[in-house]
Every structure is written in C-alpha cells, then in structure tokens.
Amino acid sequence: MSDIQFVISEQPEELALAAQLIDGRDDNAHPLDHQVFFDSRAVILAKTLKGEIVGCAAIKAGKGTVGELGYLVVSSHYRRQGIAQGLTQKRIEVAKALGISILYATIRAENTSSQANLLKAGFQFWRDYLSIRGTGNTVGWYYLALSANVDAEAIMLSLVGDRIQTV
C-alpha cells in the first residue's frame, strides 16, 4: 500500500471525481446528496502515485467536538489492500487536528467489512437501531473517543434521538 497516498482535498474537480466513485458503489445505499458531501468538514482521498483517485472517505459536515464519519468507498479494483483502513486512520488524525473529541459512524448490519474496519481502528460498538429511512434495516452505531474526558454515553444518546433500538 506504499503506492497509495491519503490526502485531504478541497479541490472541486477532485471532490466531483470522489462523488462519482461514491455514486458508482455496488451496494444498495441511498443516493448521494452531492452538496452535502461537498460541505463535509474534511474529505480524504486515496490516490495512486499517478494521481488516480481509488478511494474516499469524509468527516461529514457539522461543527463542534462531535464528528460523523461517512462516505467511505474504495474502487473495486483496489479492495482488500488496506485502503479503507488507511482512510479511516487518516480521518482520525484529521479529526484530532480539528479538535474533535469523539467520532461516530452508523453502519448497516450487513456491512461487515465496514464494521471490521471501525473495530480495527479502535471504535467501539454502541447499539443497534432501526433505520429512520423506513427501510427496516438495522443500523449499528460505533464511536471512538479522542479525548479522555468524553461522556460517550451521553453524546451517543443525544445523537440517536427517538430512533428505535433493536434487541
């Protein structure tokens, strides 16, 4: 994986290419809202030494000390090479630099690769909830405290709102 670079990008052309990569993903996720993606706090790209974008991930839009991870996609030709893990590690580094004290992510129950990626990076599983999109999907919530004095339980409870927890 030494031939892959993980870089923050704010360049509109690169963000558009990253959005195309997300749009072409091979799962059944909901369509990407491009403007919401472009407004992310940070977009990390995985690029080959020739500059080809082969993966992307973001810390979604928001303010304050809580950050949400999302939009992680790796081109099918580059999977199983540690790129997703590299994107997650880079997002953790960037989050610390931005002063974020806790990161969280929501992962559909069937997405075992993303679950494993987060757990390997030190995230903790919190709870499962039903999707608010009415799909009937179960969504797992994960978090990583980046500071010592974080009340993860209180923060996570504030984030889930009135979602229905599964048993």
Side-chain angles (χ1 to χ4, degrees):
M1 192 173 62
S2 61
D3 59 340
I4 300 294
Q5 302 170 331
F6 300 99
V7 297
I8 300 171
S9 181
E10 296 177 359
Q11 296 179 22
E13 318 79 52
E14 289 187 334
L15 295 178
L17 290 170
Q20 285 179 0
L21 185 62
I22 296 168
D23 284 335
R25 66 188 167 221
D26 53 5
D27 62 11
N28 64 354
H30 56 87
L32 175 66
D33 181 327
H34 287 227
Q35 191 56 53
V36 171
F37 173 68
F38 296 152
D39 290 340
S40 295
R41 290 166 90 168
V43 175
I44 312 302
L45 303 178
K47 297 170 73 174
T48 65
L49 296 178
K50 294 180 180 179
E52 178 187 4
I53 297 170
V54 298
C56 68
I59 301 172
K60 292 183 173 184
K63 295 182 179 173
T65 60
V66 177
E68 180 183 7
L69 299 186
Y71 309 121
L72 189 144
V73 176
V74 176
S75 171
S76 60
H77 298 96
Y78 286 85
R79 292 185 185 151
R80 313 287 308 156
Q81 297 179 34
I83 294 172
Q85 191 67 47
L87 287 163
T88 297
Q89 288 301 327
K90 184 68 172 181
R91 287 186 292 176
I92 292 168
E93 292 171 23
V94 170
K96 289 177 181 178
L98 292 173
I100 293 173
S101 62
I102 187 169
L103 287 171
Y104 76 97
T106 58
I107 308 291
R108 288 189 328 269
E110 67 273 11
N111 191 345
T112 56
S113 296
S114 288
Q115 294 166 6
N117 176 37
L118 290 180
L119 294 171
K120 188 173 181 181
F123 279 74
Q124 295 185 37
F125 170 74
W126 188 57
R127 294 183 181 143
D128 282 326
Y129 289 86
L130 290 177
S131 170
I132 61 171
R133 291 194 170 88
T135 61
N137 289 337
T138 297
V139 178
W141 287 62
Y142 296 79
Y143 73 90
L144 177 66
L146 302 175
S147 323
N149 297 327
V150 172
D151 185 348
E153 182 75 12
I155 291 170
M156 295 303 288
L157 282 171
S158 74
L159 294 170
V160 299
D162 60 357
R163 288 174 176 83
I164 299 171
Q165 186 176 352
T166 62
V167 182

